[in-house]
Amino acid sequence: GAGVSQSPSNKVTEKGKDVELRCDPISGHTALYWYRQSLGQGLEFLIYFQGNSAPDKSGLPSDRFSAERTGGSVSTLTIQRTQQEDSAVYLCASSLARSNEQFFGPGTRLTVL
Amino acid sequence: AQTVTQSQPEMSVQEAETVTLSCTYDTSENNYYLFWYKQPPSRQMILVIRQEAYKQQNATENRFSVNFQKAAKSFSLKISDSQLGDTAMYFCAFMKSPLGAGNNRKLIWGLGTSLAVNP
């Protein structure tokens, strides 16, 4: 069965440009999470989606970051006016609503020059 | 706020030997879950083992076992009969027990331990 997929695998962009990162969760998983993995800072929670409920955006570091989840499935994380400190691996995870096990995608490595 | 601390940035072990990775956490919650995840160079985060705080019995998964000391807020991972494929970053993570089906089950992570298994 298909796991969580993310695209692109790697993204290099110039400072000031906008980027979109995509996550396809496991079919049937209603919960979706975005995490950021930075050197020296470990992993940090960014945003959580559950079904049709309003997302928990409490982890987003600035208003340059936003995310959508269309049709309860695919999610897109958008970073506007990228900065060098946005360089990181962005991981997406999905799970069943009542499950404590999160399944992760392979991540997108973002490099901002 | 919850915090997770992994005090060993790097460790190494000989193939077939046993190694223990340390993790401590801080929380005022009584109900929660603890996890060990493995991240090989492929970046794919893989669940190794999990523990519910209300269970006194330590979790085991084949060669992987934990030593959960709730009062000491300690959650170490023991890998027995280490294999070359165990080489990876290992992350300890904490999850507050959610109150409902729709509540955020975000993970709070330690900084990780890089484990090298040597032939």
Side-chain angles (χ1 to χ4, degrees):
Chain A
V4 178
S5 61
Q6 292 186 245
S7 60
S9 178
N10 292 283
K11 176 73 176 178
V12 180
T13 191
E14 294 178 348
K15 178 182 171 181
K17 295 286 180 69
D18 298 351
V19 294
E20 285 189 351
L21 312 180
R22 177 187 169 104
C23 172
D24 282 88
I26 293 172
S27 178
H29 282 193
T30 57
L32 187 147
Y33 301 80
W34 283 97
Y35 295 91
R36 180 169 70 175
Q37 185 174 17
S38 307
L39 275 177
Q41 290 187 306
L43 289 100
E44 55 180 331
F45 162 77
L46 295 178
I47 189 168
Y48 161 69
F49 294 91
Q50 170 57 46
N52 295 321
S53 303
D56 179 346
K57 305 179 182 180
S58 59
L60 294 178
S62 78
D63 59 7
R64 295 186 295 105
F65 288 72
S66 63
E68 290 184 338
R69 189 176 184 192
T70 54
S73 182
V74 171
S75 177
T76 302
L77 177 68
T78 301
I79 309 173
Q80 295 179 311
R81 305 181 302 283
T82 52
Q83 303 294 312
Q84 288 184 330
E85 60 263 29
D86 298 334
S87 295
V89 174
Y90 290 82
L91 293 169
C92 175
S94 70
S95 73
L96 295 169
R98 293 183 178 272
S99 173
N100 296 315
E101 182 171 2
Q102 295 179 21
F103 294 82
F104 284 80
T108 294
R109 180 179 296 281
L110 175 65
T111 303
V112 182
L113 301 177
Chain B
Q2 291 80 27
T3 59
V4 177
T5 302
Q6 294 180 249
S7 59
Q8 305 152 315
E10 295 181 352
M11 293 193 72
S12 64
V13 64
Q14 292 299 120
E15 198 174 3
E17 302 273 298
T18 295
V19 64
T20 299
L21 308 183
S22 301
C23 172
T24 58
Y25 58 94
D26 189 24
T27 184
S28 58
E29 302 287 328
N30 191 46
N31 295 320
Y32 49 88
Y33 302 85
L34 295 164
F35 305 82
W36 279 98
Y37 277 87
K38 167 185 175 181
Q39 188 181 41
S42 67
R43 296 200 308 245
Q44 188 82 44
M45 197 71 79
I46 302 164
L47 177 64
V48 174
I49 197 166
R50 63 183 144 182
Q51 174 84 38
E52 292 94 336
Y54 66 86
K55 290 187 177 179
Q56 291 187 333
Q57 186 172 7
N58 289 324
T60 62
E61 287 287 343
N62 300 312
R63 298 183 294 107
F64 299 88
S65 62
V66 298
N67 183 3
F68 173 50
Q69 301 290 327
K70 190 173 184 180
K73 296 180 181 173
S74 171
F75 183 61
S76 61
L77 173 70
K78 184 171 84 171
I79 306 174
S80 304
D81 185 26
S82 297
Q83 300 176 0
L84 296 178
D86 295 334
T87 293
M89 282 289 291
Y90 286 82
F91 291 93
C92 179
F94 172 100
M95 178 190 290
K96 195 166 61 172
S97 182
L99 297 178
N103 284 3
N104 191 345
R105 287 172 165 81
K106 68 181 181 183
L107 290 162
I108 297 166
W109 302 81
L111 291 180
T113 296
S114 178
L115 176 67
V117 180
N118 302 313

